[in-house]
Amino acid sequence: MIKIYHNPRCRKSREGLQLLENSGKEFEIIKYLETVPSEAELTEIINLLGISPIQLVRKAEKIWKENYKGKELSDVAIIKAMIENPKLIERPIVINKNKAVIGRPTEAITTVL
């Protein structure tokens, strides 16, 4: 089952959702601000994306700038920061089986469909 980690207030996330709807494939929407991924889930997502935790952080967010910017943080600390402040998680994330992609640009989603 395809999953999209979605924030309805984000234009890029809405565009990613539209692309999935237009694909005609079944998928699950996870509103990650309401249903925050666990540490294990977020670690799995990061592994599927093939990136380091810091690459999934939205560094322009006020929370990041005020509380974390310029600090040396372990990968575990970065993951915990994203769980405590899910707005820090880059979006949308689309997962299909063992493949995942951040939908920026939106067309990147087609690589996992």
Side-chain angles (χ1 to χ4, degrees):
M1 169 72 82
I2 299 169
K3 295 180 183 179
I4 180 170
Y5 286 81
H6 175 60
N7 177 350
R9 298 187 67 186
C10 171
R11 181 176 58 86
K12 287 289 185 188
S13 197
R14 290 191 307 269
E15 288 173 4
L17 180 62
Q18 184 70 50
L19 189 147
L20 283 177
E21 288 171 344
N22 292 343
S23 77
K25 298 179 188 252
E26 285 189 37
F27 61 92
E28 175 186 1
I29 300 170
I30 300 165
K31 294 180 181 176
Y32 68 91
L33 295 178
E34 298 168 14
T35 307
V36 180
S38 68
E39 185 174 339
E41 288 171 319
L42 196 53
T43 300
E44 167 89 8
I45 291 167
I46 290 164
N47 289 335
L48 286 173
L49 288 167
I51 60 175
S52 63
I54 193 66
Q55 291 174 284
L56 192 58
V57 172
R58 295 175 55 82
K59 295 171 207 70
E61 289 288 339
K62 183 178 178 186
I63 297 165
W64 181 262
K65 289 179 182 176
E66 291 178 354
N67 298 305
Y68 303 102
K69 186 178 180 183
K71 295 182 180 178
E72 275 197 44
L73 301 169
S74 67
D75 286 351
V76 171
I78 293 167
I79 290 169
K80 287 187 188 226
M82 286 189 278
I83 292 167
E84 291 169 11
N85 306 283
K87 284 177 81 174
L88 292 176
I89 300 171
E90 189 60 81
R91 60 205 177 231
I93 301 166
V94 177
I95 299 173
N96 187 4
K97 297 180 180 118
N98 63 348
K99 297 188 287 185
V101 69
I102 299 170
R104 289 176 174 270
T106 305
E107 297 74 36
I109 295 169
T110 60
T111 65
V112 298
L113 296 182

